[in-house]
Amino acid sequence: MSLVVQKFGGSSVADAASVIRVASRIAQYAKAGHEVVVVVSAMGDTTDELIDLAEQVTPNPPPRELDMLLTAGERISMAVLSMALNNSGVAARAYTGSQAGVITDEVHGKALIQKVTPGRIRSALDAGNVAIVAGFQGVSQGTKDITTLGRGGSDTTAVALAAALDADICEIYSDVDGVFTADPRIVPSARRVPVISCEEMLDLAANGAKILMGRSVEYARRYGVPLHVRSSFSGRLGTIVSDDAERMVPVDPGVTVRIADVPHLDAADPSKELSVDTTDPGLEAPIISGVAHDRSEGKITVVEVPDQPGKAALLFDVVASSGANIDMIVQNSSTTDDTVAISLTLPEADSDVALAAIEQARETIGFSEVRYNNQIGKVSVVGAGMKSSPGVSATLFRSLGEAGINIDMISTSEIRISVVTDISRLDDAVRVIHTAFGLDAEQTEAVVYGGTGR
Amino acid sequence: MSLVVQKFGGSSVADAASVIRVASRIAQYAKAGHEVVVVVSAMGDTTDELIDLAEQVTPNPPPRELDMLLTAGERISMAVLSMALNNSGVAARAYTGSQAGVITDEVHGKALIQKVTPGRIRSALDAGNVAIVAGFQGVSQGTKDITTLGRGGSDTTAVALAAALDADICEIYSDVDGVFTADPRIVPSARRVPVISCEEMLDLAANGAKILMGRSVEYARRYGVPLHVRSSFSGRLGTIVSDDAERMVPVDPGVTVRIADVPHLDAADPSKELSVDTTDPGLEAPIISGVAHDRSEGKITVVEVPDQPGKAALLFDVVASSGANIDMIVQNSSTTDDTVAISLTLPEADSDVALAAIEQARETIGFSEVRYNNQIGKVSVVGAGMKSSPGVSATLFRSLGEAGINIDMISTSEIRISVVTDISRLDDAVRVIHTAFGLDAEQTEAVVYGGTGR
C-alpha cells in the first residue's frame, strides 16, 4: 500500500464547491487503497483578507500575533475539507501544523522547519483515516508559539511530511498542468515536461518559474522525495520532479509506474499519449528543458566607481546590509579612465532600501551617479544538457540577435544562461528562444525532456 | 497589584473599530497597573459564517472537525485584539485555549472544563504582558483534540481562568449595562441591580435572563470568583455577582472598593450616583431582586393519562430519553374519572423529539391525546427575600388577576415563583409584576437590591 501526500493550494479550495471537488479526488485515492495525507492552504483570498483586517488595527502587526492570525486560514480550509471527505464516506481527520509535528525555529513569518515528528499523522493513517494537515504553519521548538513558513510554505509542509512519513510521492496540485517548456500564455506551443531533475527545477524556480518555490524542491532533493506537480482541475498527469528514474511512484488512484516509464501528454493535444523511448538514454537528451522568464526585477547601475581593489566589494556589502537580494552582477571596465560601471539586478521590492543604502555610501565608495531601471525582463534557458553542449550560448545569442532583441546583461551557471532585455521585448525573447531550441510542439525534431528516462 | 480578567463578547469586537475601542479600555487597566487577562469571543457574525460554510459541504459535520473549524473564529479575534493593544503601546500576547491550559473532556461541541493549567498565562503576566485568551475553546485531556465549550463557553473560559489565576474580579462585558430588575425594553422604568447573589443570578439565568449563562455563574460560585457584568460601550458600573459583601474588588482602572460599598447608578438618570446606605443591613432588603421572562418554551399537555402509580414517571422517562429538557411540570387530577392531565414546558427546539417520543409510547402509557402549544410565555420573580416573605405569591397573583392575565401553570422554588401565561400577555405580566413589587425607578419606596451590603 503506497502513501501519497497531496498538497492543494488556495485556488484549488477557493470555495465550498472547490472543496467538494478536491475531496472527491482525494476520495478516489483513499478508495483505491492508498494511504493519503493532504496538506491544504487557506481558501482563496482568506490570507489576504486576514492581512487586511490586521492592517485595519495596526500598521505594524507584531510577527507572533500575525502568525497566530494567518494560521486561522488553514484551520478553516482543513476542517471544511475534512468535513467534505467524511460526507463522501471517507474517514478523515484534520490536524494543525503543531498537531502534525511540524517543528520550526522561532522566526515568525518565515520560520524554517527543524524537524517533523508525525506521530499523530501516522496513527491517524493506521486507524484508516485520511489525514488533513494545515500547510504553511508549525510550532516553534523553544517558545511553543505558532509560526508560519512564509512564501511557498504549504509546499514545504507537504514535502517535509512526505520525507518524514517516507511517502511514495508528494503531489503538488495547483491550477496549471505542470512544468512547461515556457509559459504557455507567451508561447502557445509550449509543451509540458513530464519529468525533470531537481537541479533543473531549482534553476527554473530561481529564474522566474512560479510553479514551485526552490525551497521545497531543495527539501525534496535532500530527502529524495519525488514530486508530482499537476492540476487539481484537469486531473491529468503533470510533471514529476525527481533524480531517480528507477523509482516506482503512484501517479493515479491505484496506478503505480516507474518514473522512467511515465507517459507524457502532448500539450497541444492533451488527449494524445506519446510513447516514451527509453532504449537510448542520453543520445537524444534535449539541450534545454525549459525557458523561464521574470518581470519582477529592476536594475541598478552605479557609474564611475573608482577601479580600485575593494571598491566593488564595498558596494555589494552595502547593498547586502540593506537586506536586498542581489541577483545578477555585471561590471564593465571603462576604456577611457580608471573607473568602472557596476550593474546589478534585484527584486523591485528591494530597490528602495538598496538605492538608499548606496546613496548613503556615496562618499565612502566614491562613485559619481546611481541609475535605476525597472523596465527590464530576464529570460533564462535551463537544461542539464548544456553541460556538454558548448553551442548553447551561440544559439541563444544568435536567435535574439536575428530578432533584433538587445542583450543588456548576461549571467550563466553550469546548466543555465540568463539574459536581461528591455521589458517590451521579453515575450518575443521567450518565443524566439523556445523555437531556436526546438521546443515548439509542432517541431518534429523536438524531444521533450524526460524521454531519456530521467 | 490586582489581577483582572475581562471577557468581551462578539458584539464588543464586531469589527476593527470595535476591537480598537476594546483595546483602549483594556489599555487603561494595564496602564493603571492591573494585571489583565482578556478572554475574547469570535468577532461579530464569524461563528455563524463558519457554520454556514460547513453546511455548504455537509449536512452533518463531524463534531471534532466542526470544533476545529469554529475555533478559527476566536483565533482571529484574539490575534487582532493583541495587535491593537501592541499598537497602543501595551505589550500583549494572544493564546489559544489549548495554550492557556484549558483542559476539557472529549465531548465535542459542549465540552466541560476539567482543569485549567495557566502556566503560560502566568508567565506572560509576569513578563509584563496583557494575556489575550481565546474563549469558548479548550483541548481534550485524552485525545489532545481541540474542543469547544458550547453556549456561553467564553464566559465559562473567563471564570475558569479567573479561578485558576486567583483573579480579583472577572468582568463580563456585553452590550448591556448589567442585570436589570426587568428587561428595560419591556419595562422602561427597570433599574440596574448593582449587586446580586450567585443564587439569585442562577435563578434569573435559568428563567430567561440572557445576560449570563447559569453555567458560568455556577462556576463562579463554586470557586468564589466575583463577577462584574457590564457594558463595553458605556464603561459604566454594571452588576456585581457575588456572595461576599466584604470582598475588595477592582471596579475601574486603578479603583478598588468593597463590594458592600459599590456605588450604583439610577438607570433612569445614569449620571446620578445614588449613595448606598449600609448602616441598616437587612431591614430594607427588597423582597424580589428581578423579574425575568422567557418566550422560548412550548407546552406539551398529555390528556387522560391513567391515574395509576408509575404512569407519570414513565411519561417523564420517555421525554428525558428523547434528549429534551423538561422545565416546569403540572399535573391536574380529573374530578370526573380516573385519569390525570400532565402538562410540561420545554424549549421549543426540543419539542419535536419529545412529541415523537411521547407518541411512540402511547400504548405503553395509555393516554388519549397529546396537545402542543408554543404560544406561551414564562415570567419569574426571583429574590432571596422571598424565603422570609410569605406574602409574595399573593402579591404576584393579585397583580396578575387585577390586570386580567390568566395564569396557566405555576412553579416555585425557595427563591423564585414562575408562572406561564399566554404569550400575548407576557409583556403586560412583566410590567405589572415589576410595579407590584416596587421596582419601578420612580417609586420612592423602591430599594434597589444591593443597598443592604450583599
Side-chain angles (χ1 to χ4, degrees):
Chain A
M1 183 165 54
S2 60
L3 197 166
V4 179
V5 174
Q6 302 183 315
K7 180 261 172 176
F8 293 92
S11 65
S12 299
V13 289
D15 52 25
S18 312
V19 168
I20 291 169
R21 187 174 47 71
V22 162
S24 129
R25 174 150 195 96
I26 297 167
Q28 288 173 28
Y29 277 81
K31 288 175 178 169
H34 299 282
E35 291 185 320
V36 187
V37 175
V38 176
V39 174
V40 67
S41 302
M43 292 172 73
D45 300 325
T46 310
T47 303
D48 289 340
E49 289 166 10
L50 291 173
I51 290 174
D52 282 350
L53 179 59
E55 287 173 350
Q56 287 175 45
V57 300
T58 174
N60 293 305
R64 177 189 179 278
E65 316 304 308
L66 185 60
D67 277 0
M68 186 67 92
L69 177 69
L70 295 184
T71 50
E74 289 81 34
R75 195 178 192 86
I76 293 170
S77 57
M78 73 182 193
V80 174
L81 180 56
S82 178
M83 289 175 189
L85 269 169
N86 281 287
N87 190 51
S88 67
V90 173
R93 294 172 82 84
Y95 297 90
T96 64
S98 171
Q99 290 176 332
V102 179
I103 314 293
T104 73
D105 62 20
E106 294 164 20
V107 185
H108 288 287
K110 46 183 178 179
L112 296 176
I113 295 178
Q114 293 196 324
K115 65 177 174 183
V116 179
T117 53
R120 290 189 70 174
I121 303 303
R122 187 63 260 172
S123 302
L125 295 173
D126 291 345
N129 295 292
V130 169
I132 319 265
V133 179
F136 178 68
Q137 59 176 250
V139 61
S140 68
Q141 182 139 33
T143 56
K144 305 282 182 229
D145 282 323
I146 302 304
T147 53
T148 65
L149 310 179
R151 283 189 65 196
S154 290
D155 289 354
T156 309
T157 301
V159 176
L161 271 170
L165 291 163
D166 197 20
D168 295 281
I169 191 102
C170 178
E171 297 186 327
I172 308 286
Y173 286 89
S174 71
D175 50 6
V176 296
D177 262 324
V179 177
F180 280 70
T181 51
D183 186 333
R185 288 168 298 190
I186 295 176
V187 184
S189 60
R191 320 215 302 178
R192 183 176 56 83
V193 180
V195 181
I196 195 169
S197 70
C198 292
E199 188 180 12
E200 289 167 301
M201 191 65 235
L202 279 170
D203 247 346
L204 286 173
N207 287 282
K210 295 186 181 61
I211 196 162
L212 269 181
M213 292 289 287
R215 176 180 179 186
S216 50
V217 181
E218 193 62 75
Y219 208 114
R221 175 162 72 169
R222 192 178 321 142
Y223 291 95
V225 177
L227 304 179
H228 188 174
V229 185
R230 64 197 307 186
S231 167
S232 68
F233 296 87
S234 75
R236 286 202 288 271
L237 291 182
T239 297
I240 292 180
V241 184
S242 173
D243 294 330
D244 180 2
E246 297 307 313
R247 181 143 179 177
M248 301 294 291
V249 293
V251 293
D252 267 322
V255 180
T256 295
V257 301
R258 191 168 65 108
I259 289 180
D261 298 337
V262 168
H264 54 280
L265 301 170
D266 183 345
D269 178 7
S271 66
K272 186 179 159 213
E273 289 274 347
L274 298 184
S275 67
V276 178
D277 179 5
T278 58
T279 55
D280 194 10
L283 282 189
E284 292 194 314
I287 294 171
I288 71 170
S289 58
V291 183
H293 66 277
D294 189 346
R295 299 177 205 277
S296 69
E297 296 196 339
K299 182 179 75 163
I300 292 175
T301 303
V302 186
V303 181
E304 292 187 323
V305 178
D307 191 8
Q308 297 161 10
K311 288 294 182 185
L314 186 57
L315 174 65
F316 298 128
D317 205 38
V318 161
V319 176
S321 301
S322 77
N325 290 301
I326 301 174
D327 180 19
M328 295 168 67
I329 297 170
V330 171
Q331 174 174 323
N332 295 318
S333 293
S334 162
T335 51
T336 58
D337 59 19
D338 53 354
T339 64
V340 295
I342 299 176
S343 291
L344 53 91
T345 65
L346 74 182
E348 280 189 73
D350 292 355
S351 60
D352 284 352
V353 291
L355 287 167
I358 294 171
E359 197 54 57
Q360 212 164 21
R362 181 187 283 266
E363 286 192 21
T364 328
I365 301 174
F367 59 85
S368 70
E369 192 188 345
V370 188
R371 297 173 194 152
Y372 179 63
N373 176 10
N374 66 0
Q375 295 301 305
I376 62 163
K378 180 175 70 163
V379 56
S380 307
V381 294
V382 171
M386 287 167 56
K387 287 179 185 173
S388 50
S389 300
V392 171
S393 51
T395 303
L396 174 68
F397 299 142
R398 189 173 58 241
S399 66
L400 292 173
E402 286 172 3
I405 298 169
N406 265 336
I407 297 171
D408 189 5
M409 294 173 73
I410 300 171
S411 150
T412 61
S413 80
E414 218 180 359
I415 66 164
R416 176 186 53 82
I417 304 177
S418 299
V419 300
V420 168
T421 71
D422 190 87
I423 201 161
S424 66
R425 300 306 307 274
L426 183 66
D427 289 359
D428 291 338
V430 172
R431 276 188 287 264
V432 300
I433 293 170
H434 197 262
T435 302
F437 284 94
L439 296 168
D440 292 351
E442 67 270 25
Q443 292 175 274
T444 53
E445 72 270 28
V447 177
V448 174
Y449 191 75
T452 58
R454 293 211 39 168
Chain B
M1 184 164 53
S2 61
L3 198 166
V4 179
V5 174
Q6 303 184 315
K7 180 260 173 178
F8 293 93
S11 64
S12 300
V13 290
D15 52 25
S18 311
V19 168
I20 290 170
R21 186 174 47 71
V22 162
S24 129
R25 175 152 194 95
I26 298 167
Q28 288 172 28
Y29 277 80
K31 288 176 178 168
H34 299 282
E35 291 185 321
V36 187
V37 175
V38 176
V39 174
V40 67
S41 302
M43 293 172 71
D45 300 326
T46 309
T47 303
D48 288 341
E49 288 166 12
L50 291 173
I51 290 174
D52 281 351
L53 180 59
E55 286 173 350
Q56 286 175 45
V57 301
T58 175
N60 293 306
R64 176 188 179 278
E65 315 305 306
L66 185 60
D67 277 359
M68 186 67 92
L69 178 68
L70 295 185
T71 51
E74 290 80 34
R75 196 178 192 85
I76 293 170
S77 57
M78 73 181 194
V80 175
L81 179 56
S82 179
M83 289 175 189
L85 268 169
N86 280 286
N87 190 51
S88 66
V90 173
R93 294 171 83 84
Y95 297 90
T96 64
S98 171
Q99 290 176 333
V102 179
I103 314 295
T104 73
D105 61 20
E106 294 164 21
V107 185
H108 288 287
K110 46 182 177 181
L112 296 176
I113 294 178
Q114 294 197 322
K115 64 177 175 184
V116 179
T117 53
R120 289 189 71 175
I121 303 304
R122 187 63 259 173
S123 302
L125 295 173
D126 291 343
N129 295 291
V130 168
I132 319 267
V133 178
F136 178 67
Q137 58 176 251
V139 62
S140 69
Q141 182 140 33
T143 57
K144 306 282 183 230
D145 282 323
I146 303 303
T147 53
T148 64
L149 309 180
R151 284 189 64 198
S154 290
D155 289 354
T156 309
T157 301
V159 176
L161 271 170
L165 291 163
D166 198 18
D168 294 281
I169 191 104
C170 178
E171 297 187 326
I172 308 287
Y173 285 90
S174 71
D175 50 5
V176 295
D177 262 324
V179 178
F180 279 71
T181 50
D183 187 333
R185 288 169 299 190
I186 296 176
V187 183
S189 60
R191 320 216 302 181
R192 181 176 58 82
V193 180
V195 180
I196 195 171
S197 70
C198 292
E199 188 180 13
E200 289 167 301
M201 191 66 234
L202 280 169
D203 246 347
L204 285 173
N207 287 283
K210 295 186 181 60
I211 196 162
L212 270 181
M213 293 289 286
R215 177 180 179 185
S216 50
V217 181
E218 192 61 75
Y219 207 113
R221 175 163 71 168
R222 192 178 321 141
Y223 291 96
V225 177
L227 304 180
H228 188 175
V229 184
R230 64 198 306 187
S231 167
S232 68
F233 296 88
S234 75
R236 287 202 287 271
L237 292 182
T239 298
I240 292 179
V241 183
S242 174
D243 294 331
D244 180 2
E246 297 308 313
R247 184 145 176 173
M248 299 295 292
V249 293
V251 293
D252 267 322
V255 179
T256 295
V257 301
R258 191 167 66 108
I259 289 180
D261 298 336
V262 169
H264 54 281
L265 301 172
D266 183 345
D269 177 8
S271 66
K272 185 179 159 213
E273 288 274 347
L274 298 183
S275 65
V276 178
D277 179 4
T278 58
T279 55
D280 194 10
L283 282 188
E284 291 194 315
I287 293 171
I288 72 171
S289 57
V291 183
H293 67 276
D294 189 346
R295 299 176 205 278
S296 69
E297 297 196 339
K299 182 179 73 162
I300 293 175
T301 303
V302 187
V303 180
E304 291 187 324
V305 179
D307 190 9
Q308 298 162 10
K311 288 295 184 185
L314 184 56
L315 174 66
F316 298 129
D317 204 39
V318 161
V319 176
S321 301
S322 76
N325 290 300
I326 301 174
D327 178 20
M328 295 167 68
I329 297 171
V330 171
Q331 174 175 322
N332 296 317
S333 293
S334 161
T335 52
T336 57
D337 60 18
D338 53 355
T339 64
V340 295
I342 299 176
S343 291
L344 53 90
T345 65
L346 74 182
E348 280 190 73
D350 291 356
S351 61
D352 283 351
V353 292
L355 288 167
I358 294 169
E359 196 54 58
Q360 213 165 20
R362 180 187 283 265
E363 287 193 22
T364 326
I365 301 175
F367 58 86
S368 69
E369 192 189 346
V370 187
R371 297 175 194 150
Y372 178 64
N373 176 11
N374 65 0
Q375 295 301 305
I376 62 162
K378 180 175 70 164
V379 56
S380 306
V381 293
V382 171
M386 287 167 57
K387 287 179 185 172
S388 51
S389 300
V392 171
S393 52
T395 303
L396 174 67
F397 299 143
R398 188 174 58 241
S399 65
L400 292 173
E402 286 171 3
I405 298 169
N406 265 336
I407 296 170
D408 190 3
M409 295 172 72
I410 300 171
S411 150
T412 61
S413 80
E414 218 180 357
I415 65 163
R416 176 186 53 83
I417 304 176
S418 298
V419 300
V420 168
T421 70
D422 190 86
I423 200 162
S424 66
R425 300 306 306 275
L426 183 65
D427 289 359
D428 291 337
V430 172
R431 275 188 288 265
V432 299
I433 292 171
H434 197 262
T435 302
F437 285 94
L439 295 168
D440 292 351
E442 66 270 26
Q443 292 175 275
T444 51
E445 72 270 28
V447 177
V448 173
Y449 191 75
T452 59
R454 293 208 41 165

